[in-house]
Amino acid sequence: VRATLSRTVKISVAILALIFVVVVAFMFHVTYVVTSTVATPISKLLLMVRDINRENVEIDDELPEIQMGSIEVTHVRETFEKLFMLSNSAQVHFYAGELEQAHTSFHEALALFTKLDNAKAIGIANNDLGNIMLTIYRVMKSLNVNTIFGMTKLTVIKNGCDFFEKSINSGEDALAKINEEEGWSTNYLIFMQQLSNRYFNRAMFLLTVREDHPNPDEAKSQGLMDLSTCKDMDREVVDNGDQEGFKGEKDVYFELLIGRIRGMLTLVKIGYDDEWGLDELFSDAYKALVTALQQPRPHPLFRHMEPAGQMQKLDHALIEYYSQPETADAELAAKIAIRMLVEDEYVIGEASTVAIKAVIDAIQDCTPEDLGGEDPSDVRSKLFNYRHIIGETISLQFSKKDALRRACYNACNAGDLAMEVF
């Protein structure tokens, strides 16, 4: 009996041990599978974020799929995909001149970021929506209409004021927080530059819509004050940060200056004084371009456009500057124009039309002797014809009856507003 009992106990212990081993192995397997379904997708999401931040994911790319994962991870990916698509599509729609779609996308982004309580993204969305309100207003003025996309001028102005107030308040709060946590640092300068851009955007908005604003004097006063604040902040970032405030990207400073120049030219054209000092802006932009040309290639400034193209952007603005009544110099404008038209193999379409007009204006009083024996009227006629052909070529993407789309495209690509990315 004892022997039988002893044998039974040993067999039972062996069976229990085997079961324990199997259970432990099974648990290890289950743990591995569960961990993989969570850790692997999370790692992929992290890599996606890093790729996007490093600009390794192009606008046209699709967000990579995740083959396995828990329901929670799937929901996270779906949310992330929506954020990715919204942020990309909103910018694409805007620069394609699809103003209504851009407005809708930015509104959806704002609603989503508000639900997520993402203060930084909310501030960005408000800034970009403010810019869209200004762009819509410009389209209204160019087409001489009072309503577009279901909004009146007063609605656009009210919404724009609200968006910019929220974006600037958000920027001020973020700057104060960075100052409290880090003091004077590179991050502080980055946030200061972002806030400076928002002040400039609001200045452009208020000074542009002033005549239709419920309180024109207040709009002008606040706009000029914002312009002054922006100028002070820009200078402080450059002087104290040695341009570190531009995230280390040496192309950003030149683009920022071109944006400021185009904005000030726009204000001068609608009757404002040159409150900033365009001569100073042109000088700084030229120095930035020359410095970039002297650096080893490839330089970030020429990543998407060759040196000739960047120079044409500056020349384009210079020609417009010397074509204004207050700073008129037809001969100098024509010399700048001829450099572009003769020396460069390719010319930006809009820049070429401005350049040809400058040459036409400069030869209004020329004699045949001045033009090497050529008949001035024939020369002007040929130039007008060239300018017309270029203008028609630029307009081919729009039908002749599609005035709204053409106006939207031109307003979205004015180049004087600082759009932000999420």
Side-chain angles (χ1 to χ4, degrees):
V1 175
R2 282 186 181 179
T4 302
L5 183 60
S6 177
R7 188 169 58 254
T8 302
V9 169
K10 290 179 179 180
I11 292 172
S12 299
V13 169
I15 293 172
L16 289 173
L18 180 61
I19 293 174
F20 177 77
V21 170
V22 171
V23 170
V24 170
F26 178 75
M27 291 299 296
F28 270 116
H29 176 72
V30 170
T31 302
Y32 171 78
V33 171
V34 171
T35 302
S36 297
T37 59
V38 175
T40 301
I42 291 297
S43 298
K44 289 185 177 180
L45 284 174
L46 180 60
L47 288 174
M48 290 178 201
V49 174
R50 288 176 177 171
D51 283 341
I52 293 169
N53 288 337
R54 293 171 183 169
E55 297 184 345
N56 291 335
V57 177
E58 297 294 332
I59 290 293
D60 294 331
D61 289 348
E62 292 185 1
L63 200 66
E65 292 289 342
I66 294 177
Q67 300 299 329
M68 59 181 181
S70 64
I71 295 177
E72 290 76 12
V73 172
T74 301
H75 287 166
V76 170
R77 187 209 174 275
E78 289 174 351
T79 301
F80 189 77
E81 180 179 32
K82 189 171 184 180
L83 292 174
F84 179 77
M85 295 304 296
L86 279 174
S87 61
N88 283 345
S89 65
Q91 295 282 342
V92 171
H93 285 313
F94 181 79
Y95 289 111
E98 298 166 351
L99 200 48
E100 187 172 18
Q101 294 92 322
H103 179 238
T104 300
S105 294
F106 276 117
H107 255 299
E108 291 177 355
L110 177 59
L112 185 55
F113 287 127
T114 301
K115 288 182 181 179
L116 296 174
D117 196 27
N118 187 326
K120 180 180 179 181
I122 292 171
I124 291 172
N126 276 311
N127 173 76
D128 290 348
L129 280 167
N131 287 340
I132 286 179
M133 292 300 105
L134 172 54
T135 308
I136 290 175
Y137 179 85
R138 286 173 169 173
V139 173
M140 288 178 167
K141 295 293 286 185
S142 68
L143 297 179
N144 194 27
V145 297
N146 293 316
T147 304
I148 286 182
F149 310 138
M151 291 181 284
T152 64
K153 284 183 181 177
L154 286 178
T155 302
V156 167
I157 293 171
K158 179 180 180 301
N159 290 345
C161 290
D162 184 52
F163 288 135
F164 279 124
E165 181 179 4
K166 289 177 180 177
S167 72
I168 287 175
N169 288 343
S170 172
E172 291 283 6
D173 291 343
L175 191 65
K177 184 178 180 181
I178 288 291
N179 185 43
E180 182 180 340
E181 294 176 351
E182 301 182 15
W184 192 266
S185 64
T186 298
N187 277 336
Y188 181 86
L189 295 175
I190 292 172
F191 276 79
M192 179 181 284
Q193 187 61 67
Q194 182 185 58
L195 181 57
S196 177
N197 291 342
R198 294 179 183 182
Y199 274 113
F200 185 79
N201 290 340
R202 187 170 71 174
M204 292 297 302
F205 175 80
L206 291 173
L207 296 176
T208 301
V209 307
R210 182 190 63 165
E211 65 180 35
D212 291 310
H213 193 280
N215 192 331
D217 292 338
E218 180 182 326
K220 180 180 179 180
S221 175
Q222 184 64 61
L224 294 177
M225 188 183 303
D226 286 347
L227 207 58
S228 177
T229 300
C230 170
K231 182 179 180 180
D232 292 340
M233 284 186 164
D234 278 2
R235 180 53 56 194
E236 189 170 358
V237 170
V238 173
D239 290 346
N240 293 284
D242 192 28
Q243 297 183 19
E244 289 183 69
F246 301 101
K247 302 183 180 180
E249 291 287 346
K250 296 180 181 179
D251 59 324
V252 176
Y253 183 49
F254 178 79
E255 296 295 344
L256 180 139
L257 289 170
I258 290 295
R260 299 288 192 260
I261 289 170
R262 298 222 63 84
M264 290 309 304
L265 282 173
T266 299
L267 294 179
V268 169
K269 288 176 184 177
I270 59 178
Y272 290 97
D273 294 331
D274 179 11
E275 299 287 344
W276 192 299
L278 276 163
D279 286 338
E280 179 184 347
L281 287 171
F282 279 119
S283 177
D284 289 343
Y286 180 74
K287 289 177 183 177
L289 184 57
V290 171
T291 300
L293 286 169
Q294 294 172 343
Q295 299 300 315
R297 300 290 184 89
H299 190 279
L301 181 57
F302 312 124
R303 179 170 44 200
H304 301 302
M305 183 177 286
E306 291 295 315
Q310 297 291 10
M311 189 67 207
Q312 285 175 27
K313 289 165 64 175
L314 185 56
D315 284 347
H316 181 183
L318 274 167
I319 294 170
E320 290 192 345
Y321 175 67
Y322 288 118
S323 299
Q324 300 306 309
E326 298 79 5
T327 52
D329 190 332
E331 183 178 353
L332 182 53
K335 288 180 178 179
I336 297 170
I338 290 172
R339 186 218 65 78
M340 179 196 307
L341 296 171
V342 174
E343 293 183 7
D344 296 342
E345 184 176 2
Y346 299 101
V347 183
I348 299 172
E350 291 78 4
S352 66
T353 59
V354 171
I356 293 174
K357 184 179 185 302
V359 176
I360 293 172
D361 292 340
I363 63 173
Q364 290 294 336
D365 299 322
C366 286
T367 64
E369 289 74 21
D370 296 326
L371 300 177
E374 295 286 340
D375 186 343
S377 61
D378 289 343
V379 174
R380 286 194 294 271
S381 177
K382 289 179 180 178
L383 289 172
F384 273 117
N385 186 51
Y386 292 146
R387 188 166 183 262
H388 175 73
I389 292 172
I390 294 171
E392 286 295 307
T393 303
I394 295 173
S395 301
L396 284 177
Q397 58 185 313
F398 309 109
S399 68
K400 292 185 178 181
K401 296 181 179 179
D402 199 353
L404 175 58
R405 190 178 169 208
R406 185 197 303 262
C408 286
Y409 180 84
N410 291 337
C412 288
N413 291 275
D416 57 356
L417 299 176
M419 298 292 286
E420 297 177 17
V421 295
F422 297 108

